[in-house]
Structures are given as C-alpha cells and as structure tokens.
Amino acid sequence: MIEYEIDIPEKLRKLNLAANYVRARSKHLEPAMRKSVSAAHGAVTRLVPLGATGEARRSISSQVLPGPYQIVGKVQSTMRRPNIYIFVLNAGRPAGKRMANSTKLEPWVQSKGLASSPTRVRQIAFLIARAVQRKGTAGLGIFYNGLERTKRMIETFHHQAVEAMTRELDDNA
C-alpha cells in the first residue's frame, strides 16, 4: 500500500477554520489529490503482472480521504490473507521457505500454454513450486515503484493546487 498527503503550508493551516479556506481547499486541494491518486493507481496497476486470472491487477484500488487538516490519498490492494499473492508479488519470496501449494500454479501453467494434459500441468506446476522454494523470487516493488514513477507528477499537482489556493486566499483577504 502507498499513502501520501498534500503538504499544506503553515500559512494556510492557520486559515483552516475560515470559510474561504474550506471552499478553496475543496476547489483546489481535493481535485489535486484525486488526480494524484488516479495517476498512482494507474502506475501501480500497470506494474502488476496479469497472471492467469487477473485477480491481483483487479484488486488494486484507490481512495481519497479528506480530513480537517489533511487530505490523504491511498493506493492499495483489496486482497487480504490468506490470499497473499499480491504481497509476494510486491515483496518477493525468500529461498528456503516451505514449498507453496503447486495446485495454485496449475491455472497459470495452463494459461501460459506450458502443458495441456492435466498430468503434465501438475508436473510442471510442482517443478515451478519447487524451484521457487529453492531459489525464491524477487519482489516487484509494485507500490513503491508505482509511486516513484508518478512522484514528480504528484508533486506538481500538489504544488499547483497550493499555489492556486494561496493566490485565491490572498485575493479574498
């Protein structure tokens, strides 16, 4: 999961209770966070491999949570334990861990066309599970890398929103 917030300058925080601030915040900061979350969500989703079912990619969700002093954007997976697939994709799996259930790999083996007969599919899935146990897998860092790919864009959205809000509040002061 990635989570970030718009950095609101102290000058604007002091105006937090003013009606003009509340209107300007809704007008500038919340749309900037929605654009930021949308950009990060797209970047993270593109980094998730499609796999056999596409479940991991479909599990990526995002939301904007406005509060009185901050606006938080979140991009996360809706997958929860015991389905740890998204976590293994993100962080990897160290070598030497207990062998994964090879039956969970069978749909992937079939979708990739590595085998067609049920017996051969089971064999290949077992061999892949055993190789993962021995060698481990590298994590893709989907959340971190997705945020890194959009960081500059997000900072630009937030900077522009704070600037526009500051100008609007200065004009109304």
Side-chain angles (χ1 to χ4, degrees):
M1 173 176 80
I2 54 176
E3 188 174 303
Y4 48 91
E5 63 184 76
I6 293 177
D7 184 29
I8 300 171
E10 189 61 35
K11 177 181 171 182
L12 294 179
R13 286 180 191 228
K14 290 178 182 174
L15 300 172
N16 197 29
L17 299 177
N20 288 342
Y21 172 84
V22 173
R23 277 192 298 277
R25 176 187 156 150
S26 293
K27 182 177 175 183
H28 300 289
L29 297 182
E30 289 179 32
M33 183 56 85
R34 280 194 292 280
K35 287 195 288 189
S36 299
V37 165
S38 178
H41 182 227
V44 168
T45 302
R46 283 188 294 279
L47 291 172
V48 177
L50 191 53
T53 64
E55 183 181 0
R57 189 176 280 184
R58 285 192 309 274
S59 80
I60 304 300
S61 68
S62 58
Q63 62 188 113
V64 174
L65 304 166
Y69 297 104
Q70 63 184 2
I71 301 169
V72 177
K74 290 185 178 185
V75 178
Q76 60 198 1
S77 172
T78 57
M79 282 186 167
R80 296 290 175 246
R81 292 192 188 275
N83 193 344
I84 61 168
Y85 177 58
I86 194 78
F87 304 108
V88 172
L89 277 175
N90 190 50
R93 181 183 168 109
K97 285 239 178 200
R98 196 177 108 221
M99 192 166 90
N101 184 350
S102 63
T103 58
K104 292 187 177 195
L105 291 170
E106 290 175 12
W108 182 83
V109 169
Q110 228 168 0
S111 73
K112 296 298 178 184
L114 300 176
S116 55
S117 75
T119 304
R120 190 72 180 132
V121 166
R122 280 191 298 279
Q123 289 172 341
I124 291 175
F126 175 81
L127 293 172
I128 292 170
R130 190 171 63 184
V132 167
Q133 178 194 21
R134 272 195 255 134
K135 299 176 185 176
T137 60
L140 299 176
I142 39 188
F143 293 103
Y144 174 79
N145 289 326
L147 181 60
E148 282 299 307
R149 287 182 179 190
T150 56
K151 198 176 203 173
R152 197 170 288 157
M153 185 185 321
I154 289 169
E155 288 170 356
T156 300
F157 291 150
H158 295 190
H159 178 74
Q160 289 171 347
V162 168
E163 289 292 316
M165 190 173 166
T166 302
R167 277 193 309 276
E168 184 173 319
L169 291 173
D170 282 345
D171 291 346
N172 292 333

